[in-house]
Amino acid sequence: MTNATSQNTTYDIIGDVHGHQEKLINLLQTLGYTKENNVWKQDGHKAVFVGDLIDKGPKAAEVLKTVKAMVDAGSTIMVIGNHELNWIQDAADHTADAVAFMDATEKHHSRRQLTEAFKYQIDGLIDLFNWLRNQPMYIDHSDLRVVHACWDEEAIATLKAASIDRLDQKALEGYRDTYSSTYLAIDRVVAGCAHQFPSKLAYDPNYRSTRFRIKWWPEDRVSINPIEIQPAPAKVQLPEDQPPVFFGHYAMVGTPDVLGHNVAGLDYSAAYGGELVAYRHKPGQPLDRAHFVT
C-alpha cells in the first residue's frame, strides 16, 4: 500500500465478531457503510477485521460470507484469529473428502453451526475454508499494523525470515512441528501465548513447555472478562516510533481505551454479550479513546 493511497484511506478496525452477524451489520451501518451488490462499503474507508470471525456466536457462516465478499471487493482487509487457526489445523488434511472435512470441522462444537449452514453445499464451505487459509496472520503497513493477539517484533521477524505470512502448507507444517521457531512465532502472534521450558518437562513425551497467555500491551487501562483466560504480564518489543498496532483476542471489559501510545485492543467481549467495537483510524493522527465506535 503506497503512502499516497493510505493517507487518503480511513481504516475502521473491527474487533472479534465471533459469529454475531447482527452486531456486525449494526456496527457497519453505524460506521456509515452501505450495502451495494452484496458488499458493504464506504468511499474512502477500508474495514479491517482482527480475526476470530467464527465460533461462539449463532451465525458464523453469515459472518464469513459477509467478510469474504468485502475482502474480495477490496473494501476490507483482515487477519486470521486463533479460532480460524484451530479450524485450519483440524481440517486442512481433509478438503478432498467432504465427509472427513465435515467431521474434522465438527471437532469444535461451535463449528457445527458451519456444517449445519452448509450441509447441502459442502463445497461452498470448503471454498470458504481455503479462502481463509489465504488470509494473512499479520498486516504490516506503513500506517497501521494488525494482529489477532500479540505484536511481537521477534516473532514477526521469524515469520518474515521464513517467508510465512498466511497459513499455507509451508506455514501449517511449521506450526505442526511443535516447539519449532515457526510454531512458537505463530502461537505468539495468533494466540498470544508464551512458553516456558522447565527442566522437569525436558523429557516429557507429550509436553515440554508450560504454555500461557500474555498481557503484552504497555498500559493497563481495561480489564479482561473474568470468563476468559487471564493473561500473565509480559514485555515484548514494541518501538514507539512505529505505526499503531491494533489487535483483538482478549475479551476486554470496560470503556474502550487505547492501551499505549500506539496500541489499541478491539475485542470487548461481543462473544459474551458485550458490544462489537471498532476504532476509526486516520493515518497520521495519534490514537485517542474518542475514536472508538460502538
Side-chain angles (χ1 to χ4, degrees):
M1 178 175 293
T2 65
N3 289 334
T5 300
S6 63
Q7 290 298 320
N8 294 323
T9 301
T10 296
Y11 294 102
D12 298 310
I13 303 98
I14 297 172
D16 301 31
V17 182
H18 276 304
H20 286 276
Q21 174 76 346
E22 286 81 5
K23 290 183 180 183
L24 173 57
I25 298 307
N26 289 339
L27 181 58
L28 288 171
Q29 291 174 331
T30 299
L31 289 165
Y33 287 69
T34 57
K35 193 174 184 180
E36 301 176 21
N37 298 320
N38 205 39
V39 176
W40 289 90
K41 61 177 68 175
Q42 181 176 185
D43 289 345
H45 288 248
K46 189 177 288 288
V48 184
F49 288 88
V50 299
D52 276 7
L53 302 176
I54 65 172
D55 294 347
K56 299 184 179 180
K59 295 185 178 179
E62 293 304 312
V63 170
L64 281 177
K65 289 188 284 189
T66 296
V67 175
K68 182 180 184 298
M70 294 174 71
V71 171
D72 291 350
S75 66
T76 292
I77 54 178
M78 65 167 286
V79 297
I80 64 165
N82 59 303
H83 283 260
E84 287 84 36
L85 170 61
N86 292 341
W87 184 23
I88 292 167
Q89 162 79 327
D90 288 341
D93 297 334
H94 306 290
T95 53
D97 182 332
V99 174
F101 176 81
M102 298 296 261
D103 287 344
T105 294
E106 290 185 350
K107 283 184 68 174
H108 189 295
H109 65 88
S110 286
R111 294 198 300 254
R112 292 174 185 165
Q113 187 274 328
L114 290 173
T115 58
E116 180 64 24
F118 283 90
K119 63 184 177 181
Y120 299 120
Q121 44 179 326
I122 299 173
D123 287 346
L125 183 58
I126 293 174
D127 287 344
L128 273 175
F129 177 85
N130 288 329
W131 169 81
L132 270 179
R133 292 193 65 181
N134 201 41
Q135 302 311 305
M137 287 183 280
Y138 57 88
I139 294 169
D140 189 5
H141 287 180
S142 62
D143 45 17
L144 86 166
R145 298 175 293 172
V146 184
V147 289
H148 178 63
C150 176
W151 189 277
D152 182 299
E153 292 283 343
E154 184 176 349
I156 297 290
T158 295
L159 296 177
K160 288 182 176 180
S163 299
I164 290 173
D165 64 351
R166 61 203 67 224
L167 275 170
D168 56 16
Q169 195 58 32
K170 175 183 177 181
L172 187 58
E173 289 173 1
Y175 181 71
R176 288 172 169 175
D177 182 7
T178 308
Y179 307 125
S180 68
S181 60
T182 297
Y183 165 79
L184 293 173
I186 292 174
D187 202 36
R188 178 67 63 92
V189 170
V190 181
C193 288
H195 292 254
Q196 292 179 341
F197 294 87
S199 57
K200 66 181 181 179
L201 296 179
Y203 301 103
D204 190 297
N206 298 310
Y207 300 103
R208 291 191 288 111
S209 77
T210 301
R211 179 175 181 261
F212 53 95
R213 284 189 182 183
I214 59 171
K215 182 189 290 186
W216 55 273
W217 47 94
E219 299 180 20
D220 198 11
R221 296 182 178 180
V222 296
S223 300
I224 305 298
N225 194 316
I227 201 171
E228 271 285 2
I229 298 170
Q230 299 300 301
K235 289 186 177 181
V236 300
Q237 287 184 316
L238 194 67
E240 290 197 359
D241 60 349
Q242 295 298 310
V245 172
F246 299 94
F247 68 100
H249 186 57
Y250 286 92
M252 299 173 181
V253 292
T255 302
D257 203 345
V258 298
L259 301 175
H261 164 72
N262 59 347
V263 184
L266 276 304
D267 182 3
Y268 280 85
S269 300
Y272 304 119
E275 292 183 297
L276 185 60
V277 172
Y279 184 95
R280 176 153 281 175
H281 174 58
K282 294 184 178 180
Q285 286 190 351
L287 298 188
D288 190 301
R289 70 180 68 178
H291 297 158
F292 285 95
V293 180
T294 59

